[in-house]
Amino acid sequence: MLTLLKKAKLADALLDDYPEVITGYVVDAKVVSGCLVGVAYKTWGYARGEKLISGSITQVIEYGQRWLIKTGEQDCLVVVNFSRGGRQSLLHLIDLFDSASLAHSRRCLH
């Protein structure tokens, strides 16, 4: 169930324009094992409010105050809000991507 604040954040996210084609919106997002986990809204293949587990995250884009998450399945998901510890899990993944880039790896998580 969405609280009033989460509904307002979701509505705001739905009204924004993005530089990518968006395939879904994720509420209460966090990164687990290199995948985005949360609750899906307006997401192809998921019912409204269904738990979402994305494919492997391949790219993270900071767009204004929002985060766009690209996956190996060619999805581009908008993070509406984070669950407890969710922002830290995403920032940790970004640090891993940055470290992999410095090491000239293919940015794969093992």
Side-chain angles (χ1 to χ4, degrees):
M1 188 87 173
L2 288 179
T3 64
L4 209 51
L5 179 60
K6 289 178 186 178
K7 285 180 183 179
K9 287 183 177 185
L10 179 59
D12 190 41
L14 289 166
L15 293 173
D16 276 350
D17 289 324
Y18 300 99
E20 304 283 336
V21 174
I22 303 302
T23 59
Y25 298 82
V26 181
V27 175
D28 294 333
K30 66 181 174 181
V31 175
V32 177
S33 298
C35 299
L36 189 66
V37 176
V39 180
Y41 286 89
K42 297 268 185 179
T43 305
W44 187 83
Y46 289 88
R48 183 176 49 162
E50 185 178 354
K51 184 175 180 177
L52 173 137
I53 300 174
S54 76
S56 295
I57 296 172
T58 58
Q59 187 178 9
V60 178
I61 303 167
E62 188 174 6
Y63 182 71
Q65 296 179 339
R66 303 225 185 273
W67 294 95
L68 307 180
I69 309 296
K70 291 185 146 190
T71 69
E73 286 80 24
Q74 308 305 316
D75 285 325
C76 185
L77 303 165
V78 175
V79 174
V80 174
N81 74 311
F82 290 99
S83 66
R84 184 180 306 259
R87 184 179 303 276
Q88 291 81 5
S89 66
L90 179 66
L91 294 175
H92 177 68
L93 180 70
I94 292 169
D95 286 342
L96 291 175
F97 280 177
D98 289 343
S99 297
S101 175
L102 291 173
H104 302 291
S105 80
R106 296 180 338 150
R107 293 186 171 210
C108 292
L109 298 177
H110 301 281

